């Protein structure tokens, strides 16, 4: 399949009217939707914005490749846009972008589609090709240029010299990005092209949407001078024990391939030691430490939270005790829903073990997973709750890191039994003993106290908690503070207190809804593209997608964030003051039927959104 099978003239815009990152995304999304390539325009745009939160897709050299893989895509496609004057896209090199390729991959896209979409990155590494695209006068010429360049690259690949003609020095690399469509392959192509120019033998493993390609073998790793890991997501690292490993964000694989390869040749890198890098090996520009490990646990726990929580909430439709065969309101459907989603043996049962398991895995790679899961299970069974799970995860991770150091002194012949015997046995044993005899009792006591405090909240205390939780949801709109409040709300649900999460969801819905109201009633304060984008925030806010407010916050952070925090805190305070309870962890307006005081809850959210809209509308300067 060719790139031009996915890029057609009806998805090409030769002269973009946009002047900002937000509006160019809107313009390209609209083009794909008008061409019939999308099922759900707003869903696709939300996926694009979520990808932008992880790292900008403005890769430099005047190029931006916004992309997303989602069920909102009907037909895999590419939209091309060009701006001769350039648009500030927060690119890696700080320069305006002129060439935009928006990639739309469907959730069930086959490998041929994904590989074709990814191949686009190879073409864009050629400076002459980029200049040709900038000067093309018709849509047909753009498509013809891409077609010809793709054929040229394919011919070069076939004629590529064998590695026998190159230097004896061999460098290995692994590239990976969260979506696995664009950056993964662009980094791989940049490294391969520069290695060829430098006369260096390189092999690059890609961890993309279609899985791991060109996987590194044990023999290749053993023979390599060093390994470059350019990745923004977790990759298998334990195989690199004892080798010099350079760990950087995937963007550096695109921007600095020569420097990375030279560092590898010079072995200017720390020796990787069993899941823990030596001092000084922290990757540039990466977020590490406690936050990274915690977010790894939370993100892997969320599917259990959302799926299990909503199923539990649905069982309440038949009656609060309808799942109990001994209760007069018993209903078999309610029992089934509670069994599947519930904390006894269903999805909610796995929350704490999964949280702990993936925290430990983030710290110590795969060997940490089993001890973390077991530690989390012991915490859950003892009633230590989320706090016990957090402690179990970090405990198990660092126990396994310690074991790796201890077992590193064993003979090389025993290397094969470490991951299948030594790490699981000793990791589970040590973690389990510490949890049983040191951690569980005091943490269970603390958790019980927290649960009692939550259930006993009333009056000023409840309102204060609502202010804090609601405000936290709007501070960074999807960042660590937002996630901390969300996690606290989930912990409260698990503890049987359904009020705090009502404040959390209300606070999370207010920023996009408030901005939507502001763009509607204070039109002179916003540009035409902002007003169009603001309208979509009605839907994002109603769906509890706080991230819809991010483009506005990025453009005017002080006014938007302060207005949003005040409105969100107001909504959270009112929800707690009205004693609103919410058993569902997600869903926004679509789970309103599960709320006890429906009208009061809607009123809380509306008042919060109005507060945000009024403050922002009055404070913001008139649009130029």
């Amino acid at each position: 399949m060719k790139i031009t099978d996915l890029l057609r003239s009806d998805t090409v815009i030769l002269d973009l009217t946009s002047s900002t990152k937000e509006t160019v995304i809107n313009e390209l999304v609209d083009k794909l939707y008008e061409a019939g390539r999308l099922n759900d325009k707003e869903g696709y745009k939300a996926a694009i914005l979520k990808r932008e939160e992880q790292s900008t897709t403005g890769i430099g050299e005047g190029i931006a490749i916004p992309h997303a893989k989602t069920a909102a895509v009907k037909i895999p496609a590419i939209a091309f846009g060009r701006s001769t004057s350039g648009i500030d896209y927060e690119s890696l090199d700080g320069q305006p972008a002129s060439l935009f390729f928006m990639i739309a991959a469907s959730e069930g896209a086959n490998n041929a589609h994904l590989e074709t979409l990814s191949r686009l990155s190879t073409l864009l590494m050629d400076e002459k090709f980029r200049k040709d695209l900038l000067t093309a006068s018709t849509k047909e010429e753009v498509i013809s240029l891409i077609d010809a360049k793709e054929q040229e690259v394919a011919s070069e690949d076939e004629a590529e010299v064998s590695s026998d003609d190159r230097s004896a020095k061999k460098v290995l690399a692994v590239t990976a990005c969260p979506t696995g469509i664009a950056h993964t392959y662009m980094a791989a192509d940049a490294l391969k092209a520069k290695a060829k120019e430098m006369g260096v033998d390189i092999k690059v493993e890609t961890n993309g949407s279609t899985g791991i390609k060109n996987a590194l073998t044990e023999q290749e790793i053993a023979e390599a001078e060093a390994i470059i890991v350019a990745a923004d997501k977790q990759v298998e690292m334990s195989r690199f024990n004892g080798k010099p490993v350079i760990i950087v964000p995937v963007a550096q694989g695109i921007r600095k391939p020569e420097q990375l390869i030279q560092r590898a040749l010079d072995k200017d890198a720390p020796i990787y030691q069993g899941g823990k890098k030596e001092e000084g090996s922290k990757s540039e520009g990466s977020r590490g430490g406690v936050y990274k490990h915690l977010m790894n646990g939370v993100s892997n726990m969320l599917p259990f939270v959302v799926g299990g929580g909503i199923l539990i909430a649905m069982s309440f439709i038949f009656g609060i005790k309808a799942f109990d065969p001994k209760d007069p309101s018993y209903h078999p459907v309610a029992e089934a829903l509670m069994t599947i989603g519930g904390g006894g043996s269903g999805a909610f049962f796995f929350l704490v073990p999964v949280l702990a398991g993936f925290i430990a895995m983030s710290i110590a790679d795969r060997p940490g997973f089993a001890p973390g899961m077991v530690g989390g299970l012991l915490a859950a069974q003892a009633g230590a709750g989320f706090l016990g799970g957090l402690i179990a995860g970090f405990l198990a991770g660092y126990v396994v890191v310690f074991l790796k150091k201890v077992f590193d002194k064993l003979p090389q012949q025993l290397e094969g039994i470490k991951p299948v015997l030594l790490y699981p046995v000793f990791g589970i044993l040590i973690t389990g003993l510490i949890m049983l005899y040191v951690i569980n009792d005091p943490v269970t006591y603390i958790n019980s106290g927290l649960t009692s405090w939550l259930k006993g909240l009333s009056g000023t205390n409840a309102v204060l908690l609502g202010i804090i939780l609601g405000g936290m949801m709007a501070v960074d709109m999807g960042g660590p503070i937002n996630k901390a409040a969300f996690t606290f709300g989930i912990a409260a649900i698990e503890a049987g207190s359904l009020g705090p999460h009502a404040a959390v969801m209300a606070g999370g819905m207010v920023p996009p809804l408030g901005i939507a109201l502001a763009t509607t009633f204070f039109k002179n304060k916003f540009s035409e593209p902002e007003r169009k984008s603001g309208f979509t925030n009605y839907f994002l806010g109603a769906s509890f997608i706080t991230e819809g407010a991010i483009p506005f916050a990025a453009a005017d952070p002080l006014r938007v964030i302060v207005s949003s925090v005040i409105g969100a805190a107001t909504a959270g305070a009112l929800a707690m003051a009205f004693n609103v309870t919410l058993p569902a962890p997600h869903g926004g307006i679509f789970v309103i039927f599960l709320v006890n005081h429906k009208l009061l809850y809607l009123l809380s959210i509306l008042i919060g959104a109005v507060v945000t809209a009024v403050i922002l509308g009055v404070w913001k300067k008139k649009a130029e």
Side-chain angles (χ1 to χ4, degrees), residues 430-460:
I430 296 171
T431 301
L433 289 173
I434 295 175
M435 289 301 298
L436 285 174
Y437 296 108
V438 179
I439 304 295
N440 277 351
D441 285 346
V443 174
T444 299
Y445 178 78
I446 293 171
N447 192 58
S448 298
L450 177 63
T451 301
S452 300
W453 175 71
L454 286 171
K455 290 183 177 180
L457 278 175
S458 61
T460 304

PDB file of all heavy atoms in Angstrom, residues 430-460:
ATOM      1  N   ILE A 430      10.248 -11.454  50.234  1.00  0.00           N
ATOM      2  CA  ILE A 430      10.663 -10.278  51.026  1.00  0.00           C
ATOM      3  C   ILE A 430       9.546  -9.238  51.066  1.00  0.00           C
ATOM      4  O   ILE A 430       9.213  -8.697  52.127  1.00  0.00           O
ATOM      5  CB  ILE A 430      11.966  -9.679  50.458  1.00  0.00           C
ATOM      6  CG1 ILE A 430      13.114 -10.688  50.606  1.00  0.00           C
ATOM      7  CG2 ILE A 430      12.307  -8.368  51.160  1.00  0.00           C
ATOM      8  CD1 ILE A 430      14.387 -10.281  49.892  1.00  0.00           C
ATOM      9  N   THR A 431       8.960  -8.962  49.890  1.00  0.00           N
ATOM     10  CA  THR A 431       7.866  -7.986  49.845  1.00  0.00           C
ATOM     11  C   THR A 431       6.705  -8.439  50.722  1.00  0.00           C
ATOM     12  O   THR A 431       6.133  -7.655  51.496  1.00  0.00           O
ATOM     13  CB  THR A 431       7.381  -7.787  48.393  1.00  0.00           C
ATOM     14  OG1 THR A 431       8.470  -7.343  47.585  1.00  0.00           O
ATOM     15  CG2 THR A 431       6.258  -6.764  48.329  1.00  0.00           C
ATOM     16  N   GLY A 432       6.352  -9.724  50.613  1.00  0.00           N
ATOM     17  CA  GLY A 432       5.232 -10.262  51.383  1.00  0.00           C
ATOM     18  C   GLY A 432       5.467 -10.188  52.879  1.00  0.00           C
ATOM     19  O   GLY A 432       4.568  -9.794  53.645  1.00  0.00           O
ATOM     20  N   LEU A 433       6.667 -10.558  53.318  1.00  0.00           N
ATOM     21  CA  LEU A 433       6.968 -10.525  54.754  1.00  0.00           C
ATOM     22  C   LEU A 433       6.904  -9.097  55.315  1.00  0.00           C
ATOM     23  O   LEU A 433       6.343  -8.856  56.384  1.00  0.00           O
ATOM     24  CB  LEU A 433       8.356 -11.122  55.012  1.00  0.00           C
ATOM     25  CG  LEU A 433       8.471 -12.651  54.828  1.00  0.00           C
ATOM     26  CD1 LEU A 433       9.926 -13.087  54.936  1.00  0.00           C
ATOM     27  CD2 LEU A 433       7.609 -13.384  55.864  1.00  0.00           C
ATOM     28  N   ILE A 434       7.463  -8.155  54.559  1.00  0.00           N
ATOM     29  CA  ILE A 434       7.447  -6.761  55.028  1.00  0.00           C
ATOM     30  C   ILE A 434       6.014  -6.230  55.062  1.00  0.00           C
ATOM     31  O   ILE A 434       5.623  -5.530  56.005  1.00  0.00           O
ATOM     32  CB  ILE A 434       8.341  -5.880  54.132  1.00  0.00           C
ATOM     33  CG1 ILE A 434       9.812  -6.313  54.270  1.00  0.00           C
ATOM     34  CG2 ILE A 434       8.188  -4.402  54.503  1.00  0.00           C
ATOM     35  CD1 ILE A 434      10.767  -5.601  53.338  1.00  0.00           C
ATOM     36  N   MET A 435       5.231  -6.574  54.050  1.00  0.00           N
ATOM     37  CA  MET A 435       3.831  -6.111  54.031  1.00  0.00           C
ATOM     38  C   MET A 435       3.059  -6.710  55.206  1.00  0.00           C
ATOM     39  O   MET A 435       2.309  -6.000  55.892  1.00  0.00           O
ATOM     40  CB  MET A 435       3.163  -6.501  52.705  1.00  0.00           C
ATOM     41  CG  MET A 435       3.647  -5.729  51.482  1.00  0.00           C
ATOM     42  SD  MET A 435       3.424  -3.932  51.590  1.00  0.00           S
ATOM     43  CE  MET A 435       1.641  -3.816  51.725  1.00  0.00           C
ATOM     44  N   LEU A 436       3.234  -8.009  55.430  1.00  0.00           N
ATOM     45  CA  LEU A 436       2.463  -8.687  56.485  1.00  0.00           C
ATOM     46  C   LEU A 436       2.825  -8.214  57.880  1.00  0.00           C
ATOM     47  O   LEU A 436       1.954  -7.986  58.732  1.00  0.00           O
ATOM     48  CB  LEU A 436       2.672 -10.201  56.391  1.00  0.00           C
ATOM     49  CG  LEU A 436       1.941 -10.926  55.258  1.00  0.00           C
ATOM     50  CD1 LEU A 436       2.364 -12.383  55.213  1.00  0.00           C
ATOM     51  CD2 LEU A 436       0.420 -10.824  55.446  1.00  0.00           C
ATOM     52  N   TYR A 437       4.133  -8.058  58.150  1.00  0.00           N
ATOM     53  CA  TYR A 437       4.572  -7.833  59.530  1.00  0.00           C
ATOM     54  C   TYR A 437       5.020  -6.400  59.841  1.00  0.00           C
ATOM     55  O   TYR A 437       5.269  -6.075  60.999  1.00  0.00           O
ATOM     56  CB  TYR A 437       5.704  -8.805  59.867  1.00  0.00           C
ATOM     57  CG  TYR A 437       5.241 -10.242  59.837  1.00  0.00           C
ATOM     58  CD1 TYR A 437       5.641 -11.104  58.815  1.00  0.00           C
ATOM     59  CD2 TYR A 437       4.371 -10.734  60.803  1.00  0.00           C
ATOM     60  CE1 TYR A 437       5.204 -12.418  58.764  1.00  0.00           C
ATOM     61  CE2 TYR A 437       3.924 -12.051  60.759  1.00  0.00           C
ATOM     62  CZ  TYR A 437       4.340 -12.892  59.741  1.00  0.00           C
ATOM     63  OH  TYR A 437       3.895 -14.191  59.693  1.00  0.00           O
ATOM     64  N   VAL A 438       5.121  -5.550  58.806  1.00  0.00           N
ATOM     65  CA  VAL A 438       5.576  -4.180  59.058  1.00  0.00           C
ATOM     66  C   VAL A 438       4.572  -3.139  58.548  1.00  0.00           C
ATOM     67  O   VAL A 438       4.225  -2.198  59.271  1.00  0.00           O
ATOM     68  CB  VAL A 438       6.962  -3.926  58.405  1.00  0.00           C
ATOM     69  CG1 VAL A 438       7.410  -2.485  58.656  1.00  0.00           C
ATOM     70  CG2 VAL A 438       7.987  -4.910  58.916  1.00  0.00           C
ATOM     71  N   ILE A 439       4.091  -3.320  57.339  1.00  0.00           N
ATOM     72  CA  ILE A 439       3.321  -2.270  56.671  1.00  0.00           C
ATOM     73  C   ILE A 439       1.823  -2.355  56.938  1.00  0.00           C
ATOM     74  O   ILE A 439       1.176  -1.351  57.269  1.00  0.00           O
ATOM     75  CB  ILE A 439       3.568  -2.300  55.137  1.00  0.00           C
ATOM     76  CG1 ILE A 439       5.062  -2.176  54.820  1.00  0.00           C
ATOM     77  CG2 ILE A 439       2.749  -1.221  54.444  1.00  0.00           C
ATOM     78  CD1 ILE A 439       5.676  -0.861  55.225  1.00  0.00           C
ATOM     79  N   ASN A 440       1.243  -3.533  56.769  1.00  0.00           N
ATOM     80  CA  ASN A 440      -0.221  -3.641  56.703  1.00  0.00           C
ATOM     81  C   ASN A 440      -0.955  -3.100  57.928  1.00  0.00           C
ATOM     82  O   ASN A 440      -1.931  -2.357  57.791  1.00  0.00           O
ATOM     83  CB  ASN A 440      -0.630  -5.098  56.461  1.00  0.00           C
ATOM     84  CG  ASN A 440      -0.573  -5.470  54.994  1.00  0.00           C
ATOM     85  OD1 ASN A 440      -0.385  -4.605  54.137  1.00  0.00           O
ATOM     86  ND2 ASN A 440      -0.730  -6.738  54.690  1.00  0.00           N
ATOM     87  N   ASP A 441      -0.521  -3.465  59.128  1.00  0.00           N
ATOM     88  CA  ASP A 441      -1.274  -3.064  60.326  1.00  0.00           C
ATOM     89  C   ASP A 441      -1.342  -1.546  60.502  1.00  0.00           C
ATOM     90  O   ASP A 441      -2.445  -0.992  60.631  1.00  0.00           O
ATOM     91  CB  ASP A 441      -0.676  -3.725  61.568  1.00  0.00           C
ATOM     92  CG  ASP A 441      -1.041  -5.202  61.647  1.00  0.00           C
ATOM     93  OD1 ASP A 441      -1.957  -5.626  60.907  1.00  0.00           O
ATOM     94  OD2 ASP A 441      -0.405  -5.934  62.431  1.00  0.00           O
ATOM     95  N   PRO A 442      -0.204  -0.837  60.498  1.00  0.00           N
ATOM     96  CA  PRO A 442      -0.310   0.624  60.664  1.00  0.00           C
ATOM     97  C   PRO A 442      -1.030   1.317  59.513  1.00  0.00           C
ATOM     98  O   PRO A 442      -1.793   2.264  59.722  1.00  0.00           O
ATOM     99  CB  PRO A 442       1.157   1.086  60.765  1.00  0.00           C
ATOM    100  CG  PRO A 442       1.971  -0.036  60.227  1.00  0.00           C
ATOM    101  CD  PRO A 442       1.209  -1.285  60.496  1.00  0.00           C
ATOM    102  N   VAL A 443      -0.808   0.827  58.279  1.00  0.00           N
ATOM    103  CA  VAL A 443      -1.455   1.470  57.134  1.00  0.00           C
ATOM    104  C   VAL A 443      -2.955   1.185  57.135  1.00  0.00           C
ATOM    105  O   VAL A 443      -3.765   2.047  56.777  1.00  0.00           O
ATOM    106  CB  VAL A 443      -0.809   1.009  55.805  1.00  0.00           C
ATOM    107  CG1 VAL A 443      -1.572   1.564  54.608  1.00  0.00           C
ATOM    108  CG2 VAL A 443       0.639   1.464  55.736  1.00  0.00           C
ATOM    109  N   THR A 444      -3.338  -0.022  57.547  1.00  0.00           N
ATOM    110  CA  THR A 444      -4.769  -0.344  57.672  1.00  0.00           C
ATOM    111  C   THR A 444      -5.429   0.568  58.693  1.00  0.00           C
ATOM    112  O   THR A 444      -6.554   1.040  58.493  1.00  0.00           O
ATOM    113  CB  THR A 444      -4.954  -1.820  58.078  1.00  0.00           C
ATOM    114  OG1 THR A 444      -4.393  -2.655  57.067  1.00  0.00           O
ATOM    115  CG2 THR A 444      -6.431  -2.155  58.230  1.00  0.00           C
ATOM    116  N   TYR A 445      -4.715   0.830  59.773  1.00  0.00           N
ATOM    117  CA  TYR A 445      -5.239   1.738  60.801  1.00  0.00           C
ATOM    118  C   TYR A 445      -5.426   3.148  60.227  1.00  0.00           C
ATOM    119  O   TYR A 445      -6.468   3.789  60.432  1.00  0.00           O
ATOM    120  CB  TYR A 445      -4.269   1.774  61.989  1.00  0.00           C
ATOM    121  CG  TYR A 445      -4.691   2.708  63.094  1.00  0.00           C
ATOM    122  CD1 TYR A 445      -5.698   2.346  63.999  1.00  0.00           C
ATOM    123  CD2 TYR A 445      -4.086   3.960  63.229  1.00  0.00           C
ATOM    124  CE1 TYR A 445      -6.087   3.221  65.005  1.00  0.00           C
ATOM    125  CE2 TYR A 445      -4.472   4.833  64.231  1.00  0.00           C
ATOM    126  CZ  TYR A 445      -5.474   4.447  65.116  1.00  0.00           C
ATOM    127  OH  TYR A 445      -5.855   5.308  66.101  1.00  0.00           O
ATOM    128  N   ILE A 446      -4.417   3.607  59.476  1.00  0.00           N
ATOM    129  CA  ILE A 446      -4.503   4.936  58.846  1.00  0.00           C
ATOM    130  C   ILE A 446      -5.651   4.961  57.834  1.00  0.00           C
ATOM    131  O   ILE A 446      -6.431   5.920  57.768  1.00  0.00           O
ATOM    132  CB  ILE A 446      -3.174   5.295  58.160  1.00  0.00           C
ATOM    133  CG1 ILE A 446      -2.075   5.472  59.205  1.00  0.00           C
ATOM    134  CG2 ILE A 446      -3.317   6.555  57.313  1.00  0.00           C
ATOM    135  CD1 ILE A 446      -0.679   5.609  58.614  1.00  0.00           C
ATOM    136  N   ASN A 447      -5.749   3.892  57.035  1.00  0.00           N
ATOM    137  CA  ASN A 447      -6.797   3.825  56.013  1.00  0.00           C
ATOM    138  C   ASN A 447      -8.190   3.815  56.648  1.00  0.00           C
ATOM    139  O   ASN A 447      -9.123   4.446  56.153  1.00  0.00           O
ATOM    140  CB  ASN A 447      -6.596   2.574  55.155  1.00  0.00           C
ATOM    141  CG  ASN A 447      -7.451   2.591  53.909  1.00  0.00           C
ATOM    142  OD1 ASN A 447      -7.355   3.507  53.091  1.00  0.00           O
ATOM    143  ND2 ASN A 447      -8.299   1.584  53.743  1.00  0.00           N
ATOM    144  N   SER A 448      -8.325   3.094  57.761  1.00  0.00           N
ATOM    145  CA  SER A 448      -9.612   3.061  58.468  1.00  0.00           C
ATOM    146  C   SER A 448      -9.970   4.443  58.998  1.00  0.00           C
ATOM    147  O   SER A 448     -11.127   4.873  58.942  1.00  0.00           O
ATOM    148  CB  SER A 448      -9.557   2.072  59.633  1.00  0.00           C
ATOM    149  OG  SER A 448      -9.315   0.766  59.173  1.00  0.00           O
ATOM    150  N   GLY A 449      -8.952   5.142  59.506  1.00  0.00           N
ATOM    151  CA  GLY A 449      -9.182   6.500  59.994  1.00  0.00           C
ATOM    152  C   GLY A 449      -9.597   7.429  58.871  1.00  0.00           C
ATOM    153  O   GLY A 449     -10.506   8.259  59.031  1.00  0.00           O
ATOM    154  N   LEU A 450      -8.939   7.292  57.705  1.00  0.00           N
ATOM    155  CA  LEU A 450      -9.286   8.111  56.545  1.00  0.00           C
ATOM    156  C   LEU A 450     -10.714   7.822  56.091  1.00  0.00           C
ATOM    157  O   LEU A 450     -11.482   8.733  55.781  1.00  0.00           O
ATOM    158  CB  LEU A 450      -8.301   7.842  55.400  1.00  0.00           C
ATOM    159  CG  LEU A 450      -8.569   8.560  54.076  1.00  0.00           C
ATOM    160  CD1 LEU A 450      -8.481  10.078  54.266  1.00  0.00           C
ATOM    161  CD2 LEU A 450      -7.578   8.101  53.007  1.00  0.00           C
ATOM    162  N   THR A 451     -11.067   6.533  56.074  1.00  0.00           N
ATOM    163  CA  THR A 451     -12.412   6.135  55.668  1.00  0.00           C
ATOM    164  C   THR A 451     -13.461   6.715  56.608  1.00  0.00           C
ATOM    165  O   THR A 451     -14.483   7.251  56.172  1.00  0.00           O
ATOM    166  CB  THR A 451     -12.528   4.596  55.641  1.00  0.00           C
ATOM    167  OG1 THR A 451     -11.564   4.065  54.734  1.00  0.00           O
ATOM    168  CG2 THR A 451     -13.918   4.164  55.207  1.00  0.00           C
ATOM    169  N   SER A 452     -13.196   6.632  57.911  1.00  0.00           N
ATOM    170  CA  SER A 452     -14.126   7.188  58.901  1.00  0.00           C
ATOM    171  C   SER A 452     -14.251   8.693  58.740  1.00  0.00           C
ATOM    172  O   SER A 452     -15.339   9.262  58.834  1.00  0.00           O
ATOM    173  CB  SER A 452     -13.651   6.853  60.320  1.00  0.00           C
ATOM    174  OG  SER A 452     -13.590   5.467  60.517  1.00  0.00           O
ATOM    175  N   TRP A 453     -13.113   9.352  58.470  1.00  0.00           N
ATOM    176  CA  TRP A 453     -13.132  10.803  58.279  1.00  0.00           C
ATOM    177  C   TRP A 453     -13.953  11.181  57.059  1.00  0.00           C
ATOM    178  O   TRP A 453     -14.772  12.112  57.110  1.00  0.00           O
ATOM    179  CB  TRP A 453     -11.698  11.311  58.142  1.00  0.00           C
ATOM    180  CG  TRP A 453     -11.624  12.787  57.832  1.00  0.00           C
ATOM    181  CD1 TRP A 453     -11.910  13.817  58.674  1.00  0.00           C
ATOM    182  CD2 TRP A 453     -11.230  13.367  56.590  1.00  0.00           C
ATOM    183  NE1 TRP A 453     -11.723  15.024  58.033  1.00  0.00           N
ATOM    184  CE2 TRP A 453     -11.306  14.784  56.747  1.00  0.00           C
ATOM    185  CE3 TRP A 453     -10.806  12.843  55.366  1.00  0.00           C
ATOM    186  CZ2 TRP A 453     -10.975  15.668  55.722  1.00  0.00           C
ATOM    187  CZ3 TRP A 453     -10.479  13.730  54.340  1.00  0.00           C
ATOM    188  CH2 TRP A 453     -10.571  15.122  54.527  1.00  0.00           C
ATOM    189  N   LEU A 454     -13.762  10.427  55.964  1.00  0.00           N
ATOM    190  CA  LEU A 454     -14.516  10.707  54.745  1.00  0.00           C
ATOM    191  C   LEU A 454     -16.013  10.540  54.966  1.00  0.00           C
ATOM    192  O   LEU A 454     -16.824  11.366  54.543  1.00  0.00           O
ATOM    193  CB  LEU A 454     -14.048   9.784  53.606  1.00  0.00           C
ATOM    194  CG  LEU A 454     -12.688  10.101  52.979  1.00  0.00           C
ATOM    195  CD1 LEU A 454     -12.271   8.985  52.035  1.00  0.00           C
ATOM    196  CD2 LEU A 454     -12.732  11.431  52.239  1.00  0.00           C
ATOM    197  N   LYS A 455     -16.382   9.441  55.629  1.00  0.00           N
ATOM    198  CA  LYS A 455     -17.804   9.171  55.850  1.00  0.00           C
ATOM    199  C   LYS A 455     -18.425  10.150  56.835  1.00  0.00           C
ATOM    200  O   LYS A 455     -19.635  10.380  56.819  1.00  0.00           O
ATOM    201  CB  LYS A 455     -17.987   7.736  56.339  1.00  0.00           C
ATOM    202  CG  LYS A 455     -17.697   6.693  55.260  1.00  0.00           C
ATOM    203  CD  LYS A 455     -17.949   5.278  55.750  1.00  0.00           C
ATOM    204  CE  LYS A 455     -17.726   4.267  54.629  1.00  0.00           C
ATOM    205  NZ  LYS A 455     -17.954   2.871  55.078  1.00  0.00           N
ATOM    206  N   GLY A 456     -17.603  10.714  57.715  1.00  0.00           N
ATOM    207  CA  GLY A 456     -18.129  11.633  58.716  1.00  0.00           C
ATOM    208  C   GLY A 456     -18.063  13.086  58.300  1.00  0.00           C
ATOM    209  O   GLY A 456     -18.419  13.977  59.074  1.00  0.00           O
ATOM    210  N   LEU A 457     -17.603  13.349  57.057  1.00  0.00           N
ATOM    211  CA  LEU A 457     -17.487  14.728  56.618  1.00  0.00           C
ATOM    212  C   LEU A 457     -18.847  15.407  56.549  1.00  0.00           C
ATOM    213  O   LEU A 457     -19.818  14.843  56.043  1.00  0.00           O
ATOM    214  CB  LEU A 457     -16.846  14.783  55.222  1.00  0.00           C
ATOM    215  CG  LEU A 457     -15.319  14.704  55.145  1.00  0.00           C
ATOM    216  CD1 LEU A 457     -14.891  14.652  53.697  1.00  0.00           C
ATOM    217  CD2 LEU A 457     -14.676  15.884  55.844  1.00  0.00           C
ATOM    218  N   SER A 458     -18.913  16.620  57.029  1.00  0.00           N
ATOM    219  CA  SER A 458     -20.151  17.385  56.927  1.00  0.00           C
ATOM    220  C   SER A 458     -19.821  18.854  57.131  1.00  0.00           C
ATOM    221  O   SER A 458     -18.743  19.207  57.610  1.00  0.00           O
ATOM    222  CB  SER A 458     -21.175  16.926  57.976  1.00  0.00           C
ATOM    223  OG  SER A 458     -20.668  17.132  59.291  1.00  0.00           O
ATOM    224  N   GLY A 459     -20.737  19.711  56.730  1.00  0.00           N
ATOM    225  CA  GLY A 459     -20.585  21.140  56.959  1.00  0.00           C
ATOM    226  C   GLY A 459     -19.331  21.719  56.350  1.00  0.00           C
ATOM    227  O   GLY A 459     -18.985  21.453  55.204  1.00  0.00           O
ATOM    228  N   THR A 460     -18.600  22.522  57.144  1.00  0.00           N
ATOM    229  CA  THR A 460     -17.430  23.254  56.648  1.00  0.00           C
ATOM    230  C   THR A 460     -16.340  22.320  56.151  1.00  0.00           C
ATOM    231  O   THR A 460     -15.686  22.586  55.135  1.00  0.00           O
ATOM    232  CB  THR A 460     -16.861  24.149  57.764  1.00  0.00           C
ATOM    233  OG1 THR A 460     -17.898  25.013  58.240  1.00  0.00           O
ATOM    234  CG2 THR A 460     -15.714  25.000  57.241  1.00  0.00           C
TER     235      THR A 460
END
